[in-house]
Amino acid sequence: MRTFILYARKAVTSPDFNIEDLPSSGGRMDLIARCISSALFLSFAMRRDSRIFVVLNGPPNPPVTVCFDGSITNVSPDEQSIALWIKKALEKIENFKGKDWISLKNNIKVSRKSFQDIIKESQGSFYILYEKGEPIEKVKIAENPIIILGDHLGLPSKEEKFALRYGKKISLGKTSYLASQCIAIVNWMFDEA
Amino acid sequence: MRTFILYARKAVTSPDFNIEDLPSSGGRMDLIARCISSALFLSFAMRRDSRIFVVLNGPPNPPVTVCFDGSITNVSPDEQSIALWIKKALEKIENFKGKDWISLKNNIKVSRKSFQDIIKESQGSFYILYEKGEPIEKVKIAENPIIILGDHLGLPSKEEKFALRYGKKISLGKTSYLASQCIAIVNWMFDEA
């Protein structure tokens, strides 16, 4: 199993965002949708052995975590399709207080778990994507890799410190890529390894 | 200069497509937008030395080619922003018959040039992305690389044969990636080389 954990600082936690304005009203929900697409979609196929947790930390009720994996159905790789499903997940959890996972009919899951909850509950080898980490080409990637990354604002230092208790920093080089590009590159590296 | 040429079989050539339904009404305009984003956008930066030509071959008046390069302004990396600019480019060329480039105020260019026109007019070393090509890791990439790729339907065989007169096939491996993922991976490979 290949896992991505995306920490999204500003992504809204209410379903009221405007599907026609994902960057502003969604708190960069466009970026999140592209990351989910990069993590799971191939040409006419899905990555069955992969999943991505996106931890939404924006207003009004953070955190909310959505989980998309290779078993999801009726989702297309375009931003609007994915964002519509996040909207449905946020509607589903709106009046729900506990931290359990709730499943949508198409296998998307949503919960009130935090970034730290997700890390604590995940089994595998953790890698935190960071420009100043060890070059990914030199790292021997273990089985069941869990790749942690931030959105355009990066991980808050408190969360970064927490993640570093579980794993180490790896780097794609000096260039700062979009989060979705990082995921595409990492997936390719792991496919080729 | 790094150049991408994307052949889009079904992408519409009228500005009347629905910006809220890029996959169907736009003929996979979502895919095109993601490719442009992958080719040019970095985290809080643009690739100044890169450009992408997208040859739209869908109804009603193919071909139309749009060119986005590192000098464009007022474009965001989300699908809707990029698709809105393609819409404006298609409006601009609607009543224009010749093959000259027309520039929008923000430096996007549009013309009635075909895939073959673009190849003939491009200067550099051509590489055609194809699953069964030479592994990209083993290819010594020349200066001014020009990477040719198809959309979800691939290059028509006539166009592939034409492109092969100018360059050779290179491969990212056995997995069939989304076109935008291919561009992200190629960009990273070239950045690291």
Side-chain angles (χ1 to χ4, degrees):
Chain A
M1 174 68 81
R2 200 178 288 174
T3 303
F4 292 93
I5 303 175
L6 173 67
Y7 186 97
R9 279 206 203 198
K10 302 282 182 191
V12 297
T13 44
S14 150
D16 298 337
F17 67 89
N18 180 359
I19 202 72
E20 286 152 41
D21 177 19
L22 303 178
S24 317
S25 86
R28 295 308 308 277
M29 205 59 85
D30 62 310
L31 177 157
I32 290 166
R34 283 196 300 279
C35 285
I36 294 171
S37 183
S38 267
L40 297 177
F41 284 84
L42 291 169
S43 185
F44 298 104
M46 296 285 288
R47 292 184 178 275
R48 296 285 161 200
D49 63 337
S50 294
R51 61 183 176 171
I52 177 166
F53 295 98
V54 184
V55 191
L56 316 172
N57 287 289
N61 292 308
V64 171
T65 296
V66 290
C67 174
F68 285 60
D69 65 25
S71 73
I72 57 169
T73 57
N74 298 316
V75 186
S76 302
D78 62 291
E79 292 172 13
Q80 208 165 45
S81 169
I82 294 171
L84 271 170
W85 281 108
I86 294 174
K87 204 184 231 298
K88 284 181 198 176
L90 288 170
E91 278 163 9
K92 191 105 177 175
I93 205 157
E94 218 171 8
N95 297 309
F96 194 83
K97 297 277 179 248
K99 280 200 176 183
D100 293 340
W101 287 107
I102 311 175
S103 285
L104 277 68
K105 278 184 191 162
N106 74 337
N107 296 333
I108 291 170
K109 291 185 296 174
V110 58
S111 88
R112 295 209 174 275
K113 290 181 199 290
S114 69
F115 178 71
Q116 298 192 7
D117 292 332
I118 299 295
I119 290 180
K120 279 186 246 169
E121 293 174 15
S122 298
Q123 300 288 327
S125 303
F126 290 83
Y127 303 94
I128 300 111
L129 269 190
Y130 191 73
E131 279 92 347
K132 289 180 184 156
E134 193 179 341
I136 192 169
E137 301 93 328
K138 294 186 180 166
V139 178
K140 189 163 162 30
I141 301 293
E143 270 190 63
N144 299 317
I146 300 168
I147 301 94
I148 295 174
L149 71 169
D151 61 6
H152 59 302
L153 301 173
L155 288 179
S157 68
K158 187 184 116 195
E159 306 294 4
E160 186 183 301
K161 272 180 202 154
F162 183 85
L164 282 170
R165 285 198 242 152
Y166 290 78
K168 63 174 175 181
K169 289 182 184 174
I170 58 170
S171 168
L172 295 175
K174 284 176 193 161
T175 309
S176 289
Y177 298 96
L178 300 185
S180 54
Q181 294 167 349
C182 293
I183 293 174
I185 297 161
V186 166
N187 261 335
W188 178 73
M189 290 285 295
F190 290 4
D191 292 344
E192 292 287 290
Chain B
M1 173 68 80
R2 199 178 290 175
T3 303
F4 292 92
I5 304 176
L6 173 67
Y7 186 97
R9 280 209 201 194
K10 302 284 182 190
V12 297
T13 45
S14 150
D16 298 336
F17 67 88
N18 180 358
I19 202 73
E20 287 153 40
D21 178 18
L22 302 177
S24 314
S25 86
R28 296 305 311 274
M29 206 58 86
D30 62 310
L31 177 158
I32 290 167
R34 282 196 301 279
C35 285
I36 293 170
S37 182
S38 267
L40 297 177
F41 284 83
L42 291 169
S43 186
F44 298 103
M46 296 285 288
R47 292 184 178 273
R48 296 285 160 201
D49 63 337
S50 295
R51 61 184 176 171
I52 177 167
F53 295 99
V54 184
V55 192
L56 315 172
N57 287 288
N61 292 308
V64 171
T65 296
V66 290
C67 176
F68 285 60
D69 66 25
S71 73
I72 58 169
T73 56
N74 297 317
V75 186
S76 302
D78 61 294
E79 292 173 13
Q80 207 165 46
S81 168
I82 293 171
L84 272 170
W85 282 107
I86 295 175
K87 206 183 229 296
K88 284 181 196 175
L90 288 170
E91 278 164 9
K92 192 107 178 175
I93 205 158
E94 218 170 6
N95 297 309
F96 195 82
K97 297 279 179 245
K99 279 200 176 183
D100 294 340
W101 287 107
I102 311 175
S103 283
L104 277 68
K105 277 184 191 162
N106 74 336
N107 295 333
I108 291 170
K109 291 185 296 173
V110 58
S111 88
R112 295 209 174 276
K113 291 181 199 289
S114 69
F115 179 70
Q116 298 192 7
D117 292 332
I118 299 295
I119 290 180
K120 280 186 247 170
E121 293 175 13
S122 298
Q123 301 287 327
S125 304
F126 290 84
Y127 302 94
I128 300 111
L129 269 190
Y130 190 72
E131 279 92 347
K132 289 177 184 158
E134 192 178 341
I136 192 168
E137 299 93 328
K138 294 185 179 167
V139 178
K140 188 165 163 30
I141 302 293
E143 269 190 63
N144 299 317
I146 300 169
I147 300 93
I148 295 174
L149 72 168
D151 61 6
H152 58 301
L153 301 172
L155 287 179
S157 68
K158 188 183 116 195
E159 305 295 6
E160 186 182 301
K161 273 180 199 151
F162 183 85
L164 282 170
R165 285 198 241 152
Y166 290 78
K168 64 174 174 181
K169 289 181 184 174
I170 59 169
S171 170
L172 296 175
K174 284 176 191 159
T175 309
S176 289
Y177 298 96
L178 300 185
S180 54
Q181 294 167 349
C182 293
I183 293 174
I185 297 161
V186 166
N187 261 336
W188 179 74
M189 289 285 296
F190 292 3
D191 292 344
E192 291 287 290

